[in-house]
Amino acid sequence: MEQGIFTVIENAPIAPGTYRMVLACDTPPVTAPGQFVNIRLPGLFLRRPISVCDAEGDRLTLLYKTVGRGTEQMAAMEPGQTLEMLTGLGNGFTLADGGKTPLLVGGGVGAAPLYLLAKKLVAGGARPHVALGFNRADEVFYTERFAALGADVTVATADGSVGVKGLVTDAMAELSYSYVYACGPEAMLRAVWERTEGDGQFSFEARMGCGFGACMGCTRETVNGPRRVCRDGPVFRKEEILWRT
Amino acid sequence: MADLSVDLCGIRLDNPVIPASGTFGYGYEFADYYDIDCLGTFSFKGTTRQPRFGNPQPRIAECTGGMLNAVGLQNPGVDRVISEELPRLAKVFHKPVMANVSGFSVEDYAYTCRKLDEQPQVGWLEVNISCPNVHGGGMIFGTDPDAASSVVRAVKAVTAKPVIVKLTPNVTDIVAMARACEAAGADGISLINTLQAMRIDLRTRRPLLANITGGLSGPAVFPVALRMVYQVSRAVRIPVVGMGGVSSAEDVIEMMLAGASAVEVGAANLADPFACRDIIAALPGTMEKYGIQDLRDIIGGAHG
């Protein structure tokens, strides 16, 4: 974990209610894809954890959905404004297990950390397939960017307005893959988990207090006992995950 | 050179700043962020006789000037605290630590305290009779003077270490609780634990916390805490550890003027992992600003 002041370079919507913020930083904000930053916002007591979409040189990219006061405040920020944040939080995805043709499954803004993951996997010689699920065509984002990395891309929309009609798990059925990486809402993660026959890694969301392992606010039960999503996760291996009944 | 040292129940602290239980884990993880030997001491995560998973999610909510938690005393149980957590801590923290203990019966408290009494790393036992987030225990002992007395007597019978009783503000007469603990043999009082509170999600129209209620902490509670520290420290002879919303060197000094011999910092650690380090670093300059040479001189200074 590092602490830094970041300057907003770009901040604009990429889909209704979903924003892309690019920031300039002094220190590399991640050591692995799947990590997150925890952002201090004026007037709010707790920080806002946001997963890292991309980190390249002195640029950090975050994708976020406006769901409450914190993200709405972020959406109103202009280039040149600064944010204090803690970076390099959590255990990210492990690349070594992915094999030659890993499948990356994202739901909504859960696609964000898969971007840096796909980039690293391609750099390591793999050919990832990215399957992204959205509600409607106008909510779709980043498909061209994933393709530009050299990944194959499949989109599913709940209303069928683009790509496969249905859930992202319906798109999975057609694909063959060496490994699964997933990030999205818990219901999606569970559906992907149930459909995954091989191994995989799953990145979870949680309501956090501190974001760095102190408060036990985001604990979930696992095969290995209670684990903090912020510090022991947010990425967990398939075999250690337990679902709430 | 300003003197930051204070005495807490016969043990010298290099400074009065103590991360509060539940906001600092078992300490060693903060050692990744800064040298935790700069602390006066810290109070480790509330420990119980048996391991506890704690409450369902969500456990955390936010409010203006603070936060609510309903973690519910998640901890690995006293045996694993002793076999796993304390050895890890020993590598990075070289001062006596405050052991925070909770329980669901008088026997629980005595059992856990007896085990921790055998640990040379432990300087003080902070007996939490004030957790608002567990049912059938915790705060029950903190709201009835007779029940509090029975816990204190049972713990005092099994330890030679100083026993500091952590009180809940969720009572009508905090002074009566403190006096009962003092009469039962407590060596110190710490207060306040969190204030019982709740939030409702406007979208779902349901309580935001799975536990329905949680404990409020953060700057919002500071004036309430200060008032209670003032009242209690005037009423008892034993030292008082003040806590509740402390987040700056100024707050530390104000708490000591109210009567605190040392000061715990809780929620501030969660908003900023470097909070305690920065408060300690700011203390000498803040003391100079207010003409304080020795922090011990100002304890209870507002009592008049």
Side-chain angles (χ1 to χ4, degrees), chain B residues 31-68:
Chain B
D32 292 348
Y33 312 144
Y34 65 88
D35 179 4
I36 61 172
D37 274 335
C38 75
L39 302 168
T41 179
F42 77 94
S43 182
F44 67 51
K45 177 76 186 140
T47 296
T48 52
R49 182 174 186 164
Q50 301 292 340
R52 284 181 55 82
F53 176 73
N55 288 324
Q57 295 289 346
R59 296 176 173 183
I60 302 288
E62 192 182 41
C63 66
T64 303
M67 61 178 287
L68 288 70

Side-chain angles (χ1 to χ4, degrees), chain B residues 9 26 28 51 87-88 119 132 164 170 175 208 223 225 228 244 269 296:
Chain B
C9 306
Y26 289 93
Y28 52 86
R88 278 182 209 160
Q119 301 306 311
I164 296 169
N170 303 310
V175 167
L208 219 152
M228 289 191 168
N269 294 308
R296 287 166 295 199

Side-chain angles (χ1 to χ4, degrees), chain B residues 20 33 50 73 75 80 90 94 136 138 140 151 169 177 181-182 255 292:
Chain B
Y33 312 144
Q50 301 292 340
L73 294 173
N75 80 95
R80 277 181 54 203
H94 306 93
I140 299 295
V151 171
M177 291 302 305
C181 293
E182 182 181 39
M255 226 9 136
I292 301 161

Side-chain angles (χ1 to χ4, degrees), chain A residues 1-3 38 40 43-48 66-69 72 84 86 89 206-221 225-228 231-232 244, chain B residues 22-26 29-30 32-33 45 52-53 55 57-67 71 74 201 203 208 217-219 267-274 277-278:
Chain A
M1 185 188 76
E2 302 288 334
Q3 187 175 32
N38 213 359
R40 169 168 279 178
L44 299 181
F45 186 72
L46 294 174
R47 292 167 184 268
R48 296 301 188 268
T66 49
V67 293
R69 282 175 66 192
E72 279 159 15
E84 187 257 288
L86 304 173
L89 294 168
R207 188 173 281 271
M208 293 177 185
C210 63
F212 48 86
C215 73
M216 314 292 161
C218 62
T219 305
R220 59 182 294 133
E221 193 62 272
R227 290 290 181 269
R228 297 157 300 182
R231 177 103 181 194
D232 306 308
R244 293 162 205 136
Chain B
T23 66
F24 215 70
Y26 289 93
E29 288 181 324
F30 276 77
D32 292 348
Y33 312 144
K45 177 76 186 140
R52 284 181 55 82
F53 176 73
N55 288 324
Q57 295 289 346
R59 296 176 173 183
I60 302 288
E62 192 182 41
C63 66
T64 303
M67 61 178 287
V71 170
Q74 181 191 334
D201 185 327
R203 288 193 185 89
L208 219 152
S217 60
N269 294 308
L270 307 184
D272 178 2
F274 304 103
R277 179 198 70 183
D278 294 348

Side-chain angles (χ1 to χ4, degrees), chain A residues 221-237:
Chain A
E221 193 62 272
T222 74
V223 168
N224 302 316
R227 290 290 181 269
R228 297 157 300 182
V229 171
C230 70
R231 177 103 181 194
D232 306 308
V235 177
F236 292 94
R237 290 180 174 276

Side-chain angles (χ1 to χ4, degrees), chain B residues 97-172:
Chain B
V97 67
M98 191 178 286
N100 185 284
V101 174
S102 214
F104 297 86
S105 67
V106 171
E107 294 71 32
D108 272 3
Y109 280 103
Y111 178 92
T112 308
C113 287
R114 185 187 298 116
K115 292 229 164 182
L116 289 167
D117 176 70
E118 295 163 3
Q119 301 306 311
Q121 279 167 275
V122 172
W124 311 257
L125 292 163
E126 182 176 45
V127 178
N128 176 11
I129 55 169
S130 48
C131 182
N133 298 325
V134 295
H135 302 281
M139 197 168 74
I140 299 295
F141 295 103
T143 53
D144 172 42
D146 293 334
S149 300
S150 59
V151 171
V152 174
R153 278 195 299 270
V155 169
K156 282 295 288 180
V158 298
T159 182
K161 296 184 195 289
V163 172
I164 296 169
V165 185
K166 184 168 176 178
L167 298 183
T168 174
N170 303 310
V171 293
T172 44

Side-chain angles (χ1 to χ4, degrees), chain A residues 7 18 42 73 80 87 91 102 105 130 171 224 239:
Chain A
T7 305
T18 303
Q73 213 166 302
T87 61
N91 285 314
V105 187
V130 181
N224 302 316
E239 64 273 16

